[in-house]
Amino acid sequence: MAPRLKIANLSVTYAGAVTALSGVNLEVAPGEALGVFGESGAGKSTLLRAIVRLLPAGTLVEGSIRSESVELLLEPEDGMRRVRGRGVAYIPQAPSEALNPVLTALTQVAEVLRVHFPMTRAALREAAMERLARFFPENATRIAHAYPHELSGGERQRVVICQALCASPGLLLADEPTSALDSVAQLEFLRMLRHERERAGMSLIFVSHDRAVLRFVTGRQVSL
Ligand code: ADP
């Protein structure tokens, strides 16, 4: 079966000549959960940001990153906007900081849907509400109309995963998304991620410096 993502000979050098990655090769099969282990500074965040092309301007990226039949390193920016969220979704480190503080949870989920599915405003809000109800079966209405500061850390985390998965991405990238959580919230988040991944049959690349966390959510593991 053709890989869902294939990275060949990837090197990333930041402006100022810091080489964060050199000659990285990696493949993820459709539906596979791949763990990438690396100590702090090994280039884990760099790897995921290279895939979704969110590295700072002036960074030199060489090699190949193919997602389905698209070479992401050559894709124009408007094509990348369609890839992000639908082809490849990304949960950054400290995901709750990824939320926009001035938008309600409902609006943030609707914004992602708007990029990928042409619908009226009312239909978008309805679809976003439906997605939130899956992640918050007991209190979706309160969550939907809340701003990030009105939510608990665990609730924000759940909004972020709902947002990442709302357009049914084929591949999810997760950058140590639980490092800021206490152990109970961490376990709850990892369970939810594992369940949603299995339910949707999507591929996952999960990077972490914690081998136990990697074993919990992924099958095969590689090191950077
Ligand atoms: P990890 O996620 O494994 O901790 P990173 O990908 O964050 O590693 O960083 C890899 C290397 O790249 C480190 O040496 C880091 O200092 C460097 N680096 C990360 N971001 C930048 C940047 N924006 N500019 C320059 N160097 C950076």
Side-chain angles (χ1 to χ4, degrees):
M1 207 181 331
R4 183 62 189 69
L5 187 87
K6 184 176 171 122
I7 296 179
N9 209 16
L10 177 71
S11 297
V12 176
T13 306
Y14 285 105
V18 181
T19 298
L21 294 173
S22 174
V24 171
N25 296 294
L26 192 147
E27 271 188 36
V28 193
E32 181 184 22
L34 176 73
V36 177
F37 172 82
E39 303 290 352
S40 174
K44 301 184 295 298
S45 300
T46 302
L47 173 71
L48 299 191
R49 287 199 207 112
I51 298 170
V52 281
R53 291 247 312 270
L54 292 174
L55 288 165
T59 307
L60 180 64
V61 183
E62 293 166 297
S64 163
I65 304 178
R66 290 187 81 81
S67 169
E68 303 186 290
S69 55
V70 181
E71 171 55 63
L72 297 184
L73 295 184
L74 297 177
E75 187 65 9
E77 186 47 38
D78 65 333
M80 276 312 290
R81 244 172 263 137
R82 284 188 298 273
V83 168
R84 288 188 204 111
R86 180 109 173 100
V88 184
Y90 170 55
I91 303 183
Q93 240 179 62
S96 51
E97 285 163 29
L99 292 174
N100 186 328
V102 299
L103 298 179
T104 62
L106 186 74
T107 307
Q108 314 215 26
V109 175
E111 279 296 301
V112 177
L113 291 171
R114 189 174 59 79
V115 175
H116 301 287
F117 309 109
M119 281 190 263
T120 63
R121 213 175 109 84
L124 273 176
R125 293 179 72 80
E126 198 177 313
M129 194 66 213
E130 234 175 70
R131 304 293 199 285
L132 280 168
R134 260 221 340 264
F135 288 85
F136 299 94
E138 275 139 39
N139 49 7
T141 307
R142 173 179 70 81
I143 302 287
H145 299 106
Y147 291 88
H149 75 271
E150 297 170 321
L151 300 171
S152 73
E155 288 168 345
R156 280 200 291 268
Q157 212 93 6
R158 230 182 252 217
V159 171
V160 170
I161 192 168
C162 174
Q163 193 185 30
L165 300 184
C166 73
S168 307
L171 170 65
L172 177 67
L173 310 177
D175 190 351
E176 308 204 59
T178 58
S179 47
L181 296 180
D182 64 55
S183 54
V184 174
Q186 179 181 45
L187 192 61
E188 192 186 337
F189 181 86
L190 294 176
R191 279 215 181 98
M192 177 185 295
L193 180 65
R194 197 164 70 172
H195 174 78
E196 287 299 319
R197 195 195 71 74
E198 282 166 4
R199 196 187 57 78
M202 72 186 161
S203 305
L204 170 71
I205 301 178
F206 191 106
V207 305
S208 179
H209 66 283
D210 186 332
R211 290 188 188 273
V213 167
L214 288 178
R215 277 194 299 271
F216 191 80
V217 270
T218 65
R220 187 165 62 96
Q221 285 132 40
V222 296
S223 293
L224 264 189

